[in-house]
Amino acid sequence: MGESTKKGSSSTMPHHLTLIKLAIFFQTASQAGWSRFSSIYMLSQGFTPSQIGRIKSTSQIAKALAQPIWGVMSDITDPLSTIIVSTVLGAVTLAGVREAIDAQSFSKLTTWRIIRSAATAASPALDALVLRLVEKSSEGYGPQRLWGSVAWGLSSLCAGAILDRFGEGAIFGYTYVISGVLLAFFLALR
């Protein structure tokens, strides 16, 4: 094993750790705005708090049931491919969510939210990728995942400001843009 690939080596690991921090940042940023502000958009379109609560609850169940499937996919292929597929599916299914909201169809919206939640439940694949890279370094898991928290806070702040300026419907454009950045980032890593 060459000197540059030994545990804790400074010549290659900082680059990989920087990339993984960016991956965590963009992955979390792509979800934070929608997760935080989708209820506001649904309320603005006439859905009741109880309907939104039921929709969000079923979405969480779908996500919990889908995560093992994404884990198997990640084991069969690789974590990066799994994350790319999940990102694309998340963006595509968001269009269905918007159509159902605009049609004010509770049953369609519930169905699309379940599909979208299952499609975007691949976060364990990113965790697997993080763990694979940090096991070769001395930095550890926590400093990498910290960037998810930073992204959640900054994304929530930015998405809130965008919604205040452009209206509740801007959450879709915001989510598409951040998801596009995430997808471009992961495709560049390939």
Side-chain angles (χ1 to χ4, degrees):
M1 196 181 266
E3 190 64 35
S4 65
T5 58
K6 287 185 181 173
K7 184 173 177 151
S9 170
S10 63
S11 63
T12 58
M13 283 305 111
H15 174 69
H16 292 301
L17 295 178
T18 299
L19 291 177
I20 206 64
K21 286 175 178 120
L22 287 170
I24 291 166
F25 183 90
F26 288 126
Q27 194 267 345
T28 303
S30 73
Q31 296 177 0
W34 175 254
S35 294
R36 181 68 189 97
F37 295 105
S38 62
S39 297
I40 293 170
Y41 182 73
M42 288 185 275
L43 283 168
S44 77
Q45 298 303 303
F47 288 91
T48 67
S50 66
Q51 288 175 316
I52 294 168
R54 287 182 297 198
I55 290 166
K56 286 196 159 225
S57 296
T58 55
S59 296
Q60 291 302 316
I61 293 167
K63 188 169 280 219
L65 293 173
Q67 282 184 340
I69 296 166
W70 284 111
V72 169
M73 184 177 166
S74 180
D75 290 344
I76 292 171
T77 59
D78 64 274
L80 188 56
S81 295
T82 302
I83 297 164
I84 290 169
V85 169
S86 176
T87 301
V88 170
L89 289 175
V92 169
T93 57
L94 189 59
V97 169
R98 183 168 196 172
E99 179 184 317
I101 292 172
D102 291 347
Q104 295 186 340
S105 171
F106 177 74
S107 60
K108 277 187 185 178
L109 178 56
T110 302
T111 301
W112 274 110
R113 282 295 300 255
I114 288 170
I115 294 168
R116 184 170 194 283
S117 292
T120 60
S123 58
L126 182 58
D127 289 334
L129 190 60
V130 171
L131 288 172
R132 184 182 301 160
L133 290 174
V134 298
E135 72 183 10
K136 300 173 186 173
S137 77
S138 60
E139 193 168 297
Y141 181 76
Q144 312 317 309
R145 293 299 299 175
L146 165 76
W147 290 97
S149 298
V150 170
W152 189 271
L154 288 175
S155 295
S156 295
L157 181 67
C158 290
I162 289 169
L163 268 65
D164 281 347
R165 172 116 172 118
F166 299 105
E168 292 87 0
I171 192 62
F172 291 97
Y174 174 85
T175 303
Y176 283 133
V177 167
I178 300 298
S179 294
V181 169
L182 174 68
L183 182 60
F185 177 78
F186 282 130
L187 289 173
L189 289 179
R190 300 232 18 97

